[in-house]
Amino acid sequence: MHRPPFDLRERDLEDFATGAWILGTGGGGDPYFSMLEAKQHLAAGRRATVIDPLSLPDDALVACVGQMGAPLAKQEKLCDGDVIASTIPMMEEYLGRRFDAVMLWEVGGSNGFQAILAGLLLGLPIVDCDAMGRAFPQADMTTFAICDLPAYPWTMVDIRRNRILFTEAEDWSWMERMTRRACTVFGASAATCKAPRTGAEVKRATCLHTLSRGLSIGRTVRAAREAHADPIAAVVAAEGGMVLFRGKITDVMRRATEGWLRGRIAIEGLDADLGQTMAIDFQNEFSVAWRGDQVAATVPDLITLVDSASGDAIGTETVRYGQRVTVIALPAPAILTTPKGLKHVGPRAFGFDLDFHSVFAERPA
């Protein structure tokens, strides 16, 4: 049975911002400004209607939109909904056909809001799914790539309205290389409409109901705060996650390069982890966590850094010395942990000579 459609309200946008930021695993961009813009559109009378992907006709045409670039650059080059929405009619003009709906490229961070903004501005329903179930830094790290769907065509627009249409690419790796190079020329920030998907492709090759998952996580955090309970413990319990480490940020090495934000953070343990250390590498998103010199967690498990008091997620572009943080892990969507999925999103895809061992594999039954 299909889930009934529903409209996002102002409170939903706040909850989704909280949940999407946690699912962003440090990347996807801070959702705060996109959330504010979405509120403005709702106040102006526009609607954000979310539909079940399983309700789509097989021949429906779905736009997939998202921002790409380095999160640090996006703090300086704010991109509003008009820019992301402009990528869709550009694609429609090329295809000679109108879209029936719009979906999320990645649910994490501000990127979780890009389809919502486009839907609000263009009057398109928003499909409750995405192509990652979290956030990842590259186009070849998606369920579409894992399922070997075509990577083209692809439209790209920057805040100056410079526009590029990529009509064909050998594969997702080539599309990533070409678009990343263009994004770097744009200043490490661009809005994109990815290869269009049919309703049948959306149903078999996406992470389903991830917008709802983001909403649910945000509501869990809100409920815990209102009850004066621990929001981190509430999220971990609700999502089947686990706490990996608690401590204080003691060092941040961060550089914007080649259209990404790369680096490593160091954490000194507190409470039960006093005397221990943790380091986490990142490429836009957190990829590998190390307890001392031992691997503690790797992609595609979700490694998320949250404020130890508020439970709010912390991005790789905003983490700073002295913050009291908790590192949590959440389970990855099943498609990401298949042998084919790990070729695209496992630790080796990020350049680490490591095999993936889920932190949840050894959990007691």
Side-chain angles (χ1 to χ4, degrees):
M1 179 177 294
H2 305 156
R3 298 183 182 184
F6 62 94
D7 284 354
L8 295 172
R9 308 299 182 189
E10 183 171 312
R11 185 178 169 116
D12 295 326
L13 296 177
E14 295 170 356
D15 289 338
F16 181 64
T18 300
W21 206 200
I22 289 173
L23 291 174
T25 64
D30 189 332
Y32 180 70
F33 291 107
S34 293
M35 183 266 291
L36 291 181
E37 184 184 355
K39 281 186 175 183
Q40 286 184 325
H41 295 317
L42 283 188
R46 294 189 170 99
R47 295 179 62 185
T49 302
V50 180
I51 62 173
D52 188 337
L54 300 179
S55 70
L56 287 169
D58 285 351
D59 62 351
L61 191 64
V62 180
C64 183
V65 297
Q67 299 281 343
M68 69 179 297
L72 194 62
K74 291 185 176 298
Q75 281 197 314
E76 301 174 357
K77 304 173 71 173
L78 298 179
C79 183
D80 60 22
D82 288 331
V83 179
I84 191 73
S86 71
T87 64
I88 293 178
M90 184 179 171
M91 182 68 81
E92 290 176 330
E93 182 179 355
Y94 174 72
L95 297 174
R97 181 181 167 184
R98 302 293 297 274
F99 283 107
D100 300 301
V102 60
M103 65 166 283
L104 292 65
W105 175 243
E106 62 181 9
V107 69
S110 176
N111 249 343
F113 271 91
Q114 301 310 302
I116 295 174
L117 291 172
L120 281 161
L121 290 168
L122 300 176
L124 290 170
I126 303 142
V127 188
D128 189 359
C129 64
D130 79 313
M132 297 182 185
R134 43 165 299 158
F136 277 127
Q138 298 178 195
D140 51 348
M141 295 177 170
T142 63
T143 54
F144 299 148
I146 294 169
C147 293
D148 294 320
L149 298 183
Y152 60 88
W154 177 303
T155 61
M156 176 182 288
V157 179
D158 77 353
I159 58 175
R160 302 175 186 84
R161 298 298 197 271
N162 293 312
R163 309 198 315 169
I164 301 176
L165 168 64
F166 296 87
T167 59
E168 194 166 351
E170 172 72 17
D171 54 26
W172 283 95
S173 177
W174 269 103
M175 181 60 84
E176 167 61 31
R177 292 166 65 184
M178 292 191 297
T179 55
R180 187 65 57 179
R181 186 65 60 89
C183 179
T184 303
V185 172
F186 281 172
S189 179
T192 60
C193 180
K194 324 292 185 178
R197 302 273 78 103
T198 66
E201 290 172 338
V202 168
K203 284 182 272 191
R204 74 173 176 83
T206 67
C207 296
L208 301 175
H209 307 126
T210 45
L211 193 158
S212 289
R213 186 186 185 194
L215 267 174
S216 176
I217 292 174
R219 288 167 179 163
T220 298
V221 171
R222 180 191 291 273
R225 289 171 179 165
E226 291 176 350
H228 302 290
D230 181 352
I232 301 171
V235 169
V236 166
E239 295 298 314
M242 66 172 60
V243 172
L244 297 179
F245 201 77
R246 296 183 192 275
K248 183 183 78 170
I249 300 294
T250 56
D251 197 10
V252 179
M253 293 177 285
R254 181 168 46 208
R255 62 194 178 101
T257 177
E258 301 176 285
W260 292 294
L261 191 64
R262 297 179 186 270
R264 169 179 271 211
I265 62 172
I267 311 170
E268 187 176 281
L270 295 173
D271 303 328
D273 295 306
L274 189 65
Q276 304 293 312
T277 62
M278 176 165 278
I280 311 178
D281 292 293
F282 62 84
Q283 178 186 340
N284 285 7
E285 289 78 28
F286 297 114
S287 54
V288 178
W290 309 79
R291 179 184 281 269
D293 59 358
Q294 300 296 310
V295 175
T298 78
V299 283
D301 281 346
L302 282 69
I303 303 167
T304 295
L305 194 69
V306 296
D307 182 282
S308 290
S310 70
D312 283 328
I314 301 172
T316 53
E317 77 273 36
T318 56
V319 61
R320 65 184 187 279
Y321 174 85
Q323 286 175 311
R324 266 59 174 177
V325 299
T326 299
V327 184
I328 65 173
L330 300 177
I335 189 174
L336 304 183
T337 62
T338 62
K340 181 71 159 51
L342 290 175
K343 288 183 179 178
H344 289 265
V345 301
R348 295 185 188 282
F350 288 78
F352 294 95
D353 187 19
L354 299 170
D355 293 322
F356 170 66
H357 298 287
S358 174
V359 297
F360 302 102
E362 300 176 359
R363 168 179 282 176

Short mmCIF file of all heavy atoms in Angstrom, two decimals, residues 142-168:
data_model
loop_
_atom_site.label_atom_id
_atom_site.label_comp_id
_atom_site.label_asym_id
_atom_site.label_seq_id
_atom_site.Cartn_x
_atom_site.Cartn_y
_atom_site.Cartn_z
N THR A 142 26.44 6.94 -5.83
CA THR A 142 24.98 6.98 -5.72
C THR A 142 24.38 5.61 -6.03
O THR A 142 25.04 4.77 -6.66
CB THR A 142 24.39 8.00 -6.71
OG1 THR A 142 24.70 7.57 -8.04
CG2 THR A 142 24.96 9.39 -6.47
N THR A 143 23.14 5.46 -5.64
CA THR A 143 22.42 4.23 -6.00
C THR A 143 22.25 4.12 -7.51
O THR A 143 22.20 3.02 -8.05
CB THR A 143 21.05 4.20 -5.33
OG1 THR A 143 20.33 5.39 -5.66
CG2 THR A 143 21.19 4.12 -3.82
N PHE A 144 22.16 5.26 -8.19
CA PHE A 144 22.04 5.23 -9.65
C PHE A 144 23.30 4.64 -10.28
O PHE A 144 23.23 3.86 -11.24
CB PHE A 144 21.82 6.64 -10.21
CG PHE A 144 20.57 7.30 -9.71
CD1 PHE A 144 20.52 8.67 -9.54
CD2 PHE A 144 19.44 6.56 -9.40
CE1 PHE A 144 19.37 9.30 -9.08
CE2 PHE A 144 18.28 7.17 -8.94
CZ PHE A 144 18.25 8.54 -8.77
N ALA A 145 24.45 5.03 -9.75
CA ALA A 145 25.71 4.47 -10.26
C ALA A 145 25.83 2.99 -9.90
O ALA A 145 26.26 2.17 -10.71
CB ALA A 145 26.90 5.26 -9.69
N ILE A 146 25.45 2.65 -8.67
CA ILE A 146 25.51 1.25 -8.24
C ILE A 146 24.63 0.38 -9.13
O ILE A 146 24.98 -0.76 -9.47
CB ILE A 146 25.08 1.14 -6.76
CG1 ILE A 146 26.11 1.85 -5.85
CG2 ILE A 146 24.92 -0.32 -6.34
CD1 ILE A 146 25.65 2.03 -4.42
N CYS A 147 23.49 0.92 -9.54
CA CYS A 147 22.54 0.17 -10.38
C CYS A 147 22.81 0.34 -11.87
O CYS A 147 22.02 -0.14 -12.71
CB CYS A 147 21.12 0.61 -10.06
SG CYS A 147 20.58 0.17 -8.39
N ASP A 148 23.92 1.00 -12.21
CA ASP A 148 24.35 1.15 -13.61
C ASP A 148 23.33 1.86 -14.49
O ASP A 148 23.18 1.54 -15.68
CB ASP A 148 24.69 -0.23 -14.22
CG ASP A 148 25.90 -0.87 -13.57
OD1 ASP A 148 26.86 -0.14 -13.27
OD2 ASP A 148 25.87 -2.09 -13.34
N LEU A 149 22.63 2.86 -13.94
CA LEU A 149 21.76 3.70 -14.74
C LEU A 149 22.60 4.77 -15.44
O LEU A 149 23.68 5.13 -14.96
CB LEU A 149 20.69 4.36 -13.86
CG LEU A 149 19.72 3.41 -13.15
CD1 LEU A 149 18.68 4.21 -12.36
CD2 LEU A 149 19.04 2.50 -14.14
N PRO A 150 22.13 5.31 -16.57
CA PRO A 150 22.92 6.34 -17.28
C PRO A 150 23.19 7.57 -16.41
O PRO A 150 22.36 7.96 -15.58
CB PRO A 150 22.02 6.69 -18.47
CG PRO A 150 21.13 5.50 -18.65
CD PRO A 150 20.89 4.94 -17.29
N ALA A 151 24.34 8.18 -16.63
CA ALA A 151 24.76 9.34 -15.84
C ALA A 151 24.39 10.66 -16.52
O ALA A 151 24.62 11.73 -15.94
CB ALA A 151 26.27 9.29 -15.62
N TYR A 152 23.85 10.63 -17.70
CA TYR A 152 23.58 11.84 -18.47
C TYR A 152 22.15 11.84 -18.96
O TYR A 152 21.52 10.76 -18.97
CB TYR A 152 24.55 11.92 -19.66
CG TYR A 152 24.44 10.74 -20.60
CD1 TYR A 152 23.53 10.73 -21.67
CD2 TYR A 152 25.22 9.60 -20.40
CE1 TYR A 152 23.42 9.63 -22.52
CE2 TYR A 152 25.11 8.50 -21.25
CZ TYR A 152 24.22 8.53 -22.29
OH TYR A 152 24.09 7.45 -23.12
N PRO A 153 21.66 13.04 -19.37
CA PRO A 153 22.28 14.37 -19.39
C PRO A 153 22.30 14.99 -18.00
O PRO A 153 21.72 14.46 -17.06
CB PRO A 153 21.37 15.15 -20.34
CG PRO A 153 20.02 14.53 -20.16
CD PRO A 153 20.29 13.06 -19.95
N TRP A 154 22.94 16.15 -17.91
CA TRP A 154 23.21 16.78 -16.60
C TRP A 154 23.29 18.28 -16.85
O TRP A 154 24.03 18.71 -17.75
CB TRP A 154 24.52 16.22 -16.07
CG TRP A 154 25.07 16.75 -14.79
CD1 TRP A 154 25.37 18.04 -14.48
CD2 TRP A 154 25.44 15.98 -13.64
NE1 TRP A 154 25.90 18.12 -13.22
CE2 TRP A 154 25.94 16.86 -12.69
CE3 TRP A 154 25.39 14.61 -13.34
CZ2 TRP A 154 26.42 16.44 -11.45
CZ3 TRP A 154 25.86 14.19 -12.11
CH2 TRP A 154 26.36 15.09 -11.16
N THR A 155 22.51 19.07 -16.13
CA THR A 155 22.60 20.54 -16.27
C THR A 155 23.24 21.13 -15.02
O THR A 155 23.07 20.61 -13.91
CB THR A 155 21.22 21.17 -16.49
OG1 THR A 155 20.37 20.90 -15.37
CG2 THR A 155 20.57 20.65 -17.76
N MET A 156 23.96 22.23 -15.21
CA MET A 156 24.68 22.87 -14.11
C MET A 156 24.57 24.38 -14.26
O MET A 156 24.76 24.93 -15.36
CB MET A 156 26.15 22.44 -14.14
CG MET A 156 27.04 23.11 -13.10
SD MET A 156 28.77 22.59 -13.24
CE MET A 156 28.68 20.92 -12.60
N VAL A 157 24.26 25.06 -13.15
CA VAL A 157 24.10 26.52 -13.14
C VAL A 157 24.82 27.06 -11.90
O VAL A 157 24.77 26.44 -10.83
CB VAL A 157 22.60 26.92 -13.07
CG1 VAL A 157 22.45 28.44 -13.04
CG2 VAL A 157 21.83 26.33 -14.26
N ASP A 158 25.47 28.21 -12.01
CA ASP A 158 26.06 28.80 -10.82
C ASP A 158 25.29 30.07 -10.45
O ASP A 158 24.30 30.44 -11.10
CB ASP A 158 27.55 29.06 -11.00
CG ASP A 158 27.86 30.29 -11.85
OD1 ASP A 158 26.93 30.89 -12.41
OD2 ASP A 158 29.04 30.66 -11.96
N ILE A 159 25.70 30.73 -9.38
CA ILE A 159 24.94 31.88 -8.87
C ILE A 159 24.99 33.08 -9.82
O ILE A 159 24.20 34.01 -9.68
CB ILE A 159 25.45 32.31 -7.47
CG1 ILE A 159 26.93 32.66 -7.51
CG2 ILE A 159 25.17 31.21 -6.46
CD1 ILE A 159 27.45 33.22 -6.18
N ARG A 160 25.90 33.07 -10.79
CA ARG A 160 25.95 34.13 -11.80
C ARG A 160 25.10 33.77 -13.01
O ARG A 160 25.09 34.50 -13.99
CB ARG A 160 27.39 34.39 -12.24
CG ARG A 160 28.34 34.76 -11.11
CD ARG A 160 29.77 34.88 -11.63
NE ARG A 160 30.71 35.10 -10.55
CZ ARG A 160 31.24 34.14 -9.81
NH1 ARG A 160 30.91 32.88 -10.04
NH2 ARG A 160 32.09 34.42 -8.84
N ARG A 161 24.44 32.61 -12.96
CA ARG A 161 23.65 32.08 -14.06
C ARG A 161 24.49 31.60 -15.23
O ARG A 161 24.00 31.51 -16.35
CB ARG A 161 22.59 33.09 -14.53
CG ARG A 161 21.58 33.46 -13.46
CD ARG A 161 20.78 32.24 -13.01
NE ARG A 161 19.55 32.62 -12.30
CZ ARG A 161 19.47 32.83 -10.98
NH1 ARG A 161 20.56 32.68 -10.22
NH2 ARG A 161 18.33 33.15 -10.40
N ASN A 162 25.77 31.33 -15.01
CA ASN A 162 26.54 30.58 -16.00
C ASN A 162 25.93 29.19 -16.10
O ASN A 162 25.58 28.58 -15.07
CB ASN A 162 28.01 30.48 -15.58
CG ASN A 162 28.71 31.82 -15.60
OD1 ASN A 162 28.61 32.56 -16.57
ND2 ASN A 162 29.42 32.14 -14.52
N ARG A 163 25.77 28.67 -17.31
CA ARG A 163 25.05 27.41 -17.48
C ARG A 163 25.84 26.45 -18.37
O ARG A 163 26.44 26.87 -19.37
CB ARG A 163 23.68 27.65 -18.13
CG ARG A 163 22.89 28.74 -17.43
CD ARG A 163 21.42 28.69 -17.76
NE ARG A 163 21.12 28.50 -19.17
CZ ARG A 163 19.90 28.22 -19.62
NH1 ARG A 163 18.91 28.08 -18.77
NH2 ARG A 163 19.67 28.07 -20.90
N ILE A 164 25.82 25.15 -17.98
CA ILE A 164 26.47 24.11 -18.77
C ILE A 164 25.50 22.94 -18.88
O ILE A 164 24.85 22.57 -17.91
CB ILE A 164 27.78 23.63 -18.12
CG1 ILE A 164 28.78 24.77 -17.95
CG2 ILE A 164 28.41 22.51 -18.96
CD1 ILE A 164 30.05 24.36 -17.23
N LEU A 165 25.45 22.34 -20.07
CA LEU A 165 24.70 21.10 -20.28
C LEU A 165 25.68 20.02 -20.71
O LEU A 165 26.38 20.18 -21.72
CB LEU A 165 23.64 21.31 -21.37
CG LEU A 165 22.95 20.06 -21.91
CD1 LEU A 165 22.14 19.36 -20.81
CD2 LEU A 165 22.05 20.40 -23.09
N PHE A 166 25.74 18.94 -19.93
CA PHE A 166 26.55 17.78 -20.29
C PHE A 166 25.62 16.77 -20.95
O PHE A 166 24.73 16.22 -20.29
CB PHE A 166 27.21 17.17 -19.05
CG PHE A 166 28.18 18.09 -18.36
CD1 PHE A 166 27.75 19.00 -17.41
CD2 PHE A 166 29.53 18.07 -18.69
CE1 PHE A 166 28.64 19.85 -16.78
CE2 PHE A 166 30.44 18.91 -18.06
CZ PHE A 166 29.99 19.82 -17.11
N THR A 167 25.79 16.54 -22.23
CA THR A 167 24.84 15.69 -22.97
C THR A 167 25.18 14.21 -22.90
O THR A 167 24.31 13.38 -23.11
CB THR A 167 24.78 16.13 -24.44
OG1 THR A 167 26.09 16.01 -25.01
CG2 THR A 167 24.28 17.56 -24.56
N GLU A 168 26.44 13.87 -22.62
CA GLU A 168 26.82 12.46 -22.62
C GLU A 168 28.09 12.27 -21.81
O GLU A 168 28.94 13.17 -21.74
CB GLU A 168 27.02 11.96 -24.06
CG GLU A 168 27.10 10.45 -24.17
CD GLU A 168 26.97 9.97 -25.62
OE1 GLU A 168 26.65 10.81 -26.49
OE2 GLU A 168 27.18 8.79 -25.87
#
